[in-house]
Amino acid sequence: MATRCAFENCHEIGVFSALTNSYCLTGIGGSENFYSIFESELSQHIPVVHATIAGCRFVGRTTVGNRRGILVPNTTSDIELQHLRNTLPDNVVVQRIEERLSALGNIVACNDHVALVHPDVDRETEDVIGDVLGVEVFRQTVGGQALVGSYCKFTNQVS
């Protein structure tokens, strides 16, 4: 079933939310209707966490994750990091990474098996992505665009 929603009249909900098989993050500061849609559809199955990253509400663009973990940029405050650790399931690893390309949701596309990353990502970041998310990592572009997380999303579903 599909449900329509918007974040303060913006239909780019992937900027303000991040969804995996283990959790859902939503940015703080939107209308209560935005949150209630996620909570009514998902809260019986996975936690719906209201959060900010670096004081900003665009959690979908600044984070990347799967059922095993979530990566947040180095601009994430200690309080925000602790909030995520306290509210996400215990089996989800929360890791802050040092990467100059800090909009992780724009530069990484992943599922539970594989990740595509921006060609200019640091080698150390590539290793952390593989270790924390438990995926095989490939430096790649999509349609000639380096922002792979902005141009594609994929699931675990096999047809």
Side-chain angles (χ1 to χ4, degrees):
M1 178 178 161
T3 303
R4 290 184 182 267
C5 70
F7 188 94
E8 296 180 354
N9 293 323
C10 177
H11 296 286
E12 297 176 15
I13 62 169
V15 171
F16 304 100
S17 63
L19 178 63
T20 73
N21 290 344
S22 298
Y23 56 86
C24 175
L25 292 184
T26 59
I28 292 175
S31 70
E32 198 55 40
N33 186 43
F34 182 74
Y35 303 121
S36 65
I37 289 170
F38 284 99
E39 287 174 348
S40 67
E41 295 294 326
L42 301 173
S43 64
Q44 292 178 352
H45 308 286
I46 58 174
V48 177
V49 178
H50 302 215
T52 59
I53 301 295
C56 300
R57 52 195 185 168
F58 39 85
V59 296
R61 282 294 146 239
T62 54
T63 66
V64 66
N66 63 14
R67 68 179 170 87
R68 293 181 196 93
I70 183 169
L71 300 171
V72 297
N74 59 356
T75 53
T76 304
S77 73
D78 291 339
I79 293 171
E80 292 168 329
L81 196 64
Q82 193 59 48
H83 172 66
L84 291 174
R85 287 184 174 140
N86 291 341
T87 54
L88 292 175
D90 291 337
N91 62 332
V92 174
V93 177
V94 179
Q95 179 72 45
R96 181 169 32 200
I97 62 173
E98 299 292 324
E99 169 60 51
R100 68 180 178 81
L101 302 172
S102 61
L104 301 175
N106 285 344
I107 63 167
V108 180
C110 71
N111 63 11
D112 292 339
H113 308 287
V114 67
L116 302 180
V117 300
H118 189 291
D120 296 336
V121 163
D122 294 336
R123 173 60 78 182
E124 183 179 318
T125 299
E126 184 179 342
D127 293 341
V128 171
I129 291 168
D131 292 343
V132 171
L133 303 182
V135 295
E136 192 172 357
V137 180
F138 298 95
R139 292 174 182 266
Q140 189 63 47
T141 61
V142 173
Q145 301 296 322
L147 297 176
V148 293
S150 295
Y151 287 93
C152 76
K153 294 287 181 201
F154 43 93
T155 68
N156 296 325
Q157 187 171 351
V158 179
S159 348

